[in-house]
Amino acid sequence: MARVLIHVPPNPKRGEVVEIRVTLAHPMESGFRPDADGRVLPRDIVTQFSARFDGEPVFAATLYPAIAANPYLAFHWRAERSGTLQLRWEGDNGFVQVESVAVRVA
């Protein structure tokens, strides 16, 4: 499992638009860079990110090899009710990371 940092503003007000920020610790190897022996390192990138609130999609992104290591994403979301925000990263070599955050709307 990779290390994940998630920032959701605490107790947003109903109807408030908040910024959600996420960072995933991942090397994002492009598959073009050689190692010390001159062999090309195999590609290993995160290719998809999605966010769902209580099962409903609220944001999605497709990532490409040009994304830096430890990809950072930010998106805006309108907090209408309390629930669970599920964040999912998918990538090469069967990589899947899923994290959930409880959101309590004031």
Side-chain angles (χ1 to χ4, degrees):
M1 286 203 17
R3 186 170 153 240
V4 175
L5 299 173
I6 302 168
H7 174 40
V8 178
N11 303 317
K13 293 180 174 67
R14 186 174 310 280
E16 180 180 3
V17 175
V18 296
E19 182 179 58
I20 310 295
R21 298 186 308 250
V22 298
T23 301
L24 173 71
H26 192 282
M28 298 293 279
E29 186 56 58
S30 68
F32 298 111
R33 196 169 60 97
D35 65 9
D37 297 326
R39 292 177 296 214
V40 176
L41 294 167
R43 180 179 132 145
D44 184 15
I45 68 168
V46 174
T47 56
Q48 299 290 321
F49 171 79
S50 63
R52 293 177 169 269
F53 184 74
D54 286 345
E56 298 174 22
V58 295
F59 181 81
T62 300
L63 307 177
Y64 297 93
I67 297 294
N70 307 319
Y72 164 84
L73 294 164
F75 61 95
H76 292 88
W77 168 70
R78 183 179 311 276
E80 295 292 342
R81 64 186 189 281
S82 297
T84 302
L85 183 65
Q86 183 186 65
L87 309 167
R88 180 182 176 96
W89 294 262
E90 297 177 37
D92 292 339
N93 307 313
F95 177 81
V96 175
Q97 177 90 21
V98 179
E99 300 288 335
S100 294
V101 176
V103 178
R104 184 176 200 107
V105 174

